[in-house]
Amino acid sequence: MSDRIKKNIQDFNRRLKDIYQEGLISVILYGSAVSGEFVDKHSNLNLLVILNNTDLDNLKKAAGIVNKFPMINPLFLTEEYINTSTDIFPIEFLDMQENYLVLYGKDVLKNINIETRNLRFQCEGELKAKLLNLRQLYLRSHNNNVAFRSLLFKSFTSILHILRNVLRLKGKQPPYLKKDILRELSSEFKINSEVWEKILSAKNKEARLSNKETEDLFIHFIRELEKIVDIVDKL
């Protein structure tokens, strides 16, 4: 992370303290900025900001600094919201808990507990929703090669993030890199790794796909996803 980015985080944190004073419970940096995978101009800079009050009148006080630092993505929550929402958003809170650094105040992530049952419900629900949506988008996009290719790559990334958390259901500590996630998924679920690896290679611009190859990959990708959804449903 560059010195410029570090300074922006420090300035943002200082201004939050000035604005909310005792109403600011904690500021936590999480995600790629902590894991070591951060890339300037490409990665998200995520901050969890815990306040004692997230009414709009109170949030409005931070509007100026939020707009002054557009590279920072602050998520404003209360402790109560976290304590009552881990059953609904287990993926999101597990992701935060995996890589984070407390910049100020209380460590509100340390002791949160995620039940496996709730994680399975979210993974299954999101995978099934993605599958339904992809079938609809396929019909609308397959004649537009640019849109279709973009759909394949974007859906691959978002679905791989969910599947990374499916590995937790098998008692695994999921790897961070996409190629390592694919290797673990292939081992646990017997997926056709060739399909997934081809998509990843094309997404990373390491290989070029013709329009026909893109559509064939998408079709096989959907079939592989259907298999995994069926497996998750039975976990």
Side-chain angles (χ1 to χ4, degrees):
M1 188 184 298
S2 68
D3 290 339
R4 178 183 61 85
I5 294 293
K6 291 178 182 178
K7 185 178 183 303
N8 285 335
I9 295 173
Q10 291 169 354
D11 288 348
F12 190 89
N13 191 23
R14 176 179 54 79
R15 290 170 188 247
L16 278 175
K17 294 177 191 177
D18 291 342
I19 292 170
Y20 290 109
Q21 300 182 28
E22 292 184 0
L24 180 64
I25 307 302
S26 63
V27 181
I28 297 175
L29 181 68
Y30 67 94
S32 61
V34 184
S35 70
E37 299 294 325
F38 186 84
V39 179
D40 283 9
K41 298 182 180 180
H42 293 286
S43 299
N44 293 323
L45 195 58
N46 298 310
L47 280 184
L48 176 62
V49 180
I50 305 300
L51 303 176
N52 64 359
N53 176 4
T54 53
D55 288 346
L56 291 183
D57 284 344
N58 199 38
L59 289 182
K60 187 169 64 175
K61 297 175 184 177
I65 62 169
V66 169
N67 289 309
K68 181 177 176 60
F69 297 92
M71 75 294 296
I72 296 177
N73 299 315
L75 178 61
F76 292 88
L77 301 178
T78 63
E79 280 191 87
E80 181 183 8
Y81 184 92
I82 292 177
N83 293 334
T84 58
S85 301
T86 55
D87 57 337
I88 304 299
F89 303 114
I91 290 177
E92 288 75 9
F93 286 114
L94 280 170
D95 286 346
M96 290 181 191
Q97 201 175 42
E98 193 170 54
N99 293 294
Y100 74 93
L101 176 66
V102 178
L103 302 180
Y104 170 80
K106 183 178 180 181
D107 185 349
V108 297
L109 296 177
K110 181 178 180 180
N111 294 318
I112 61 173
N113 182 49
I114 306 295
E115 292 188 17
T116 301
R117 179 183 64 175
N118 295 327
L119 178 60
R120 190 194 72 78
F121 284 156
Q122 187 184 12
C123 288
E124 180 184 358
E126 292 200 14
L127 286 172
K128 287 184 174 180
K130 293 280 188 187
L131 193 54
L132 288 174
N133 192 44
L134 285 173
R135 287 171 177 153
Q136 292 299 109
L137 290 174
Y138 169 75
L139 296 177
R140 296 183 181 277
S141 304
H142 82 284
N143 285 327
N144 183 330
N145 296 325
V146 174
F148 189 60
R149 198 178 304 267
S150 176
L151 172 63
L152 175 62
F153 294 157
K154 286 182 180 179
S155 59
F156 172 83
T157 299
S158 61
I159 287 170
L160 196 60
H161 177 239
I162 301 170
L163 295 181
R164 181 177 184 272
N165 282 275
V166 169
L167 288 171
R168 299 184 197 271
L169 300 175
K170 302 289 285 186
K172 298 280 188 176
Q173 178 62 39
Y176 200 82
L177 297 178
K178 291 181 177 63
K179 62 179 181 179
D180 295 333
I181 297 171
L182 291 180
R183 185 183 65 249
E184 290 292 335
L185 288 170
S186 178
S187 174
E188 288 294 331
F189 299 104
K190 310 304 179 186
I191 63 171
N192 185 346
S193 59
E194 183 180 356
V195 171
W196 300 76
E197 288 169 359
K198 280 184 177 179
I199 298 174
L200 179 59
S201 180
K203 183 179 184 302
N204 292 338
K205 298 182 179 179
E206 297 168 355
R208 299 189 66 177
L209 299 174
S210 67
N211 295 334
K212 179 65 167 55
E213 287 172 328
T214 301
E215 183 167 4
D216 287 344
L217 267 182
F218 188 90
I219 291 170
H220 284 94
F221 176 58
I222 293 297
R223 289 174 183 166
E224 291 296 309
L225 187 56
E226 288 170 341
K227 293 177 188 176
I228 292 180
V229 167
D230 188 56
I231 293 171
V232 174
D233 183 64
K234 294 178 172 62
L235 287 177

